Amino acid sequence: MSLAHPAAATESTDAPSWSLVIHGGAGVIERSRITPETDAAVRTALDAALDAGSAVLKSGGSALDAVQAAIVILEDDPNFNAGRGAVFTYEGSNELDAAVMDGKDRNAGAIARVHYTKNPILLARKVMEDSPHVMLSGEGADRFSVESGLEQVDQAYFGTAERRRQLEELKANKVSWFDVDLKYGTVGAVARDTSGNVAAGTSTGGLTGKRYGRIGDSPLIGAGTYADNRSCAISATGAGEYFIRVGVAHEICARIRLKAAARTEFLAQEAERGGSKPDAAMLAQLTAQALSAAEVQQIADAVIAEMGALGGSGGIIYLTPWGHQGYSFDTPGMYRAMANSDGGNRVAVYGDEE
């Protein structure tokens, strides 16, 4: 399956002092299926999330704080499948998943099948910072949320009339394995702060009609979420089972890291042949220049194509410590937006938008 919509990656000669990329899901997102009102509402929400994350980065805040700020906005908006607006399980409840990861030390936190936490991304961060664990699930995660003092809400807060309609349509069609509209409304963000650290976060309600305690890729470190200062930060959205099988987030980061390391070593050897003995500062500069935006994009596209060849679909957003930022998806559309300190802001929904 070939990649239908590779994104235009961005870079500058001097890496931007901060960068942010966000998504609100990928899938069968086409103009014929989206009303003008929904289109406008989604773009407004993406703008608001971009503004929230950018404000943190502009003030010198951390990449992790920026990721959290952007995702909270999207979790509070019913147009997305995360927090308020989360899809229903087959039994008619809402089960929420989320993860965060800090590229500086690869510290991570994740939660799955949470029921009452208003903003699941906040709970994922609590797990990362205030527990000895990486992942909590179900009733235990719910208890930890209460003990952590996070805002709790009734299940009725999450569900919307549209999400209920989607579940009823799925049941009427006797299709219990897939999202009825093939819109993966998972939300996510990746950021690079002025210290050069990257971070990633993802939040979702999963798939409409999911059963048997199903957990997708979003809260799984290395599948739907990953961040490493040696390579990149990734947040994914799509057919979670396939992202898990490929380990999409980690796979992209690993390929970038290994290729950058090999290129840096080659450049260092060339410098030595020219009479320069690379010190730590020079090696850091060589690493920052090792890969072009096109090469990073090619790696992301290749992994998405590999996942697609297995039968999956969806997309990712990425951001490297060296200023490359972009996205890759093989679906008709993807709710997405990006910004950096160079003023390169953009919001897009459909596959033919840059």
Side-chain angles (χ1 to χ4, degrees):
M1 185 177 192
S2 63
L3 184 70
H5 302 289
T10 64
E11 70 174 342
S12 60
T13 304
D14 298 314
S17 62
W18 61 264
S19 309
L20 176 69
V21 189
I22 64 176
H23 73 79
V28 185
I29 299 172
E30 301 169 322
R31 287 180 176 83
S32 61
R33 291 171 173 257
I34 307 295
T35 67
E37 292 77 16
T38 297
D39 180 292
V42 165
R43 291 176 192 272
T44 297
L46 291 172
D47 263 327
L50 209 59
D51 287 346
S54 295
V56 172
L57 296 168
K58 286 176 184 177
S59 66
S62 72
L64 199 60
D65 285 342
V67 163
Q68 175 179 297
I71 290 178
V72 164
I73 296 293
L74 299 176
E75 286 180 335
D76 289 345
D77 192 297
N79 286 292
F80 304 98
N81 174 21
R84 185 166 179 246
V87 299
F88 286 99
T89 66
Y90 194 84
E91 291 76 21
S93 64
N94 306 103
E95 296 181 347
L96 312 169
D97 308 331
V100 293
M101 188 167 186
D102 190 340
K104 180 171 56 178
D105 54 9
R106 281 172 283 168
N107 200 9
I111 51 97
R113 302 188 65 221
V114 164
H115 301 93
Y116 308 109
T117 302
K118 180 175 180 288
N119 291 108
I121 198 68
L122 301 184
L123 181 53
R125 186 164 180 181
K126 283 286 187 182
V127 172
M128 182 182 78
E129 295 180 338
D130 297 338
S131 87
H133 309 298
V134 170
M135 189 174 194
L136 299 179
S137 68
E139 293 180 3
D142 287 334
R143 288 198 304 272
F144 181 74
S145 181
V146 172
E147 292 173 6
S148 297
L150 295 179
E151 183 176 357
Q152 306 295 300
V153 294
D154 292 334
Q155 278 266 296
Y157 167 83
F158 301 110
T160 66
E162 172 60 15
R163 296 305 190 195
R164 178 67 69 180
R165 181 200 66 79
Q166 290 173 359
L167 176 63
E168 290 172 353
E169 183 177 339
L170 180 145
K171 286 186 171 183
N173 292 336
K174 301 190 185 322
V175 178
S176 61
W177 294 109
F178 299 102
D179 188 317
V180 66
D181 289 331
L182 291 178
K183 293 196 196 79
Y184 308 114
T186 295
V187 306
V190 293
R192 174 189 184 273
D193 60 34
T194 53
S195 297
N197 298 313
V198 298
T202 313
S203 181
T204 188
L207 290 178
T208 297
K210 62 184 180 181
R211 306 179 76 175
Y212 313 117
R214 179 262 187 191
I215 298 170
D217 65 305
S218 296
L220 300 187
I221 302 304
T225 307
Y226 202 75
D228 184 347
N229 277 5
R230 301 172 299 173
S231 55
C232 66
I234 300 281
S235 176
T237 174
E241 281 68 18
Y242 295 91
F243 280 80
I244 293 169
R245 288 163 60 185
V246 176
V248 167
H250 182 270
E251 182 71 12
I252 292 172
C253 288
R255 292 188 191 187
I256 290 173
R257 175 171 58 85
L258 294 174
K259 188 166 187 176
R263 187 73 57 77
T264 299
E265 183 178 0
F266 171 78
L267 293 173
Q269 290 172 349
E270 289 292 295
E272 286 193 31
R273 291 190 188 97
S276 299
K277 185 171 180 60
D279 56 13
M282 184 177 182
L283 285 173
Q285 183 178 15
L286 292 175
T287 299
Q289 298 171 346
L291 299 183
S292 68
E295 289 175 310
V296 173
Q297 185 69 49
Q298 287 168 3
I299 290 171
D301 290 348
V303 176
I304 291 298
E306 181 179 325
M307 180 272 302
L310 296 179
S313 63
I316 58 95
I317 52 175
Y318 68 80
L319 196 157
T320 74
W322 316 300
H324 311 106
Q325 61 185 106
Y327 38 80
S328 181
F329 56 98
D330 63 359
T331 52
M334 181 178 182
Y335 298 141
R336 60 203 187 275
M338 62 173 64
N340 61 45
S341 50
D342 289 345
N345 291 28
R346 69 178 76 163
V347 174
V349 171
Y350 309 107
D352 58 3
E353 292 183 84
E354 286 297 332

